[in-house]
Amino acid sequence: MTKKEMVLKMAADNNGIILTKQLTEAGIYRSVLKDLEDEGKLTKVQHGVYVTEDGYVDDFFLLQHRFPSGIYSHETALYLLGYSDRAPIRITMTFPQGTSSKRIKDEDIRPILISKNLDVGKAALYRNGNEIAVYEIERILVDLIKPRYEADMEQLIPALKRYARNKNDINKLFEYAKLFGVEQKMHDYMGVLL
């Protein structure tokens, strides 16, 4: 199998997407990508991301690739997990404290910078076969009721109702609420709904 065939097979095994870091890990020179691009077999979607003619990559995956330390959160995560029908106008991602937010804001992303508990509730979500990082619903609901975050109540209340109806892990919800200092507020919300 030639290097070009190997790259195309790698892309085929990944929904038609190949990342330059995958080539590096496989010990294949990036010039192979350029050759395949010149032959019309690959298209460069953004820096480090190439796609075959029948491949598909969505904007959430591309943003995740550009900002790998970010985790989809808040209203954006509600939408991604199916707890809101409203597509986010502005993407919200949570990043570790100290992350430079200028480039993030230039992409019209609302950055939430936190100093601890970044990975609490972090999960992998697969969209069109591509993995992105998103918070679990329990973490999202807790983040949305934090005092310094002004949540969209038209999205929060239906999400809480849907969560209560779906018989999710209430213990995990209150565990996160306690960890983030909003246990009483969560009791108040959920007490009305349960």
Side-chain angles (χ1 to χ4, degrees):
M1 182 180 289
T2 68
K3 297 289 186 188
K4 288 181 188 179
E5 290 170 337
M6 287 174 63
V7 170
L8 291 174
K9 173 147 181 21
M10 289 168 68
D13 292 344
N14 192 34
N15 292 324
I17 299 169
I18 188 75
L19 307 175
T20 54
K21 74 176 186 175
Q22 290 173 297
L23 290 186
T24 303
E25 290 168 1
I28 300 172
Y29 292 108
R30 293 180 184 189
S31 60
V32 175
L33 288 174
K34 179 70 174 129
D35 293 343
L36 288 168
E37 190 177 13
D38 291 344
E39 294 171 15
K41 294 181 180 175
L42 288 179
T43 302
K44 184 176 182 177
V45 180
Q46 74 178 27
H47 180 74
V49 181
Y50 293 78
V51 67
T52 60
E53 187 177 280
D54 58 346
Y56 177 76
V57 60
D58 73 3
D59 291 338
F60 291 103
F61 174 79
L62 293 174
L63 279 175
Q64 182 80 76
H65 186 264
R66 282 199 295 277
F67 304 105
S69 67
I71 302 167
Y72 288 105
S73 60
H74 298 78
E75 288 88 357
T76 302
L78 280 181
Y79 171 75
L80 289 169
L81 293 179
Y83 280 80
S84 173
D85 297 331
R86 192 185 317 165
I89 295 168
R90 188 170 183 205
I91 302 295
T92 304
M93 292 179 88
T94 299
F95 295 89
Q97 189 74 41
T99 302
S100 173
S101 62
K102 182 188 178 342
R103 194 170 68 98
I104 297 166
K105 289 178 182 175
D106 288 346
E107 292 281 346
D108 202 28
I109 296 171
R110 180 181 182 186
I112 306 294
L113 303 174
I114 62 173
S115 59
K116 59 184 180 176
N117 299 321
L118 180 72
D119 290 334
V120 172
K122 180 181 175 183
L125 176 69
Y126 291 88
R127 290 178 48 89
N128 306 306
N130 300 307
E131 182 180 326
I132 58 173
V134 64
Y135 283 122
E136 297 172 310
I137 187 60
E138 291 85 5
R139 168 70 187 261
I140 298 162
L141 295 174
V142 166
D143 282 346
L144 287 170
I145 67 168
K146 286 181 185 173
R148 64 178 190 209
Y149 187 82
E150 295 176 23
D152 179 349
M153 291 308 215
E154 289 180 17
Q155 287 186 297
L156 175 60
I157 300 304
L160 285 166
K161 286 179 182 177
R162 188 176 293 177
Y163 182 84
R165 273 194 318 268
N166 289 347
K167 306 287 189 237
N168 288 295
D169 190 348
I170 295 290
N171 291 331
K172 184 188 286 186
L173 178 67
F174 284 107
E175 178 185 314
Y176 287 174
K178 184 176 183 177
L179 178 67
F180 289 97
V182 292
E183 188 175 19
Q184 186 57 51
K185 197 170 183 181
M186 186 60 76
H187 273 288
D188 294 345
Y189 276 111
M190 294 307 286
V192 173
L193 299 173
L194 294 176

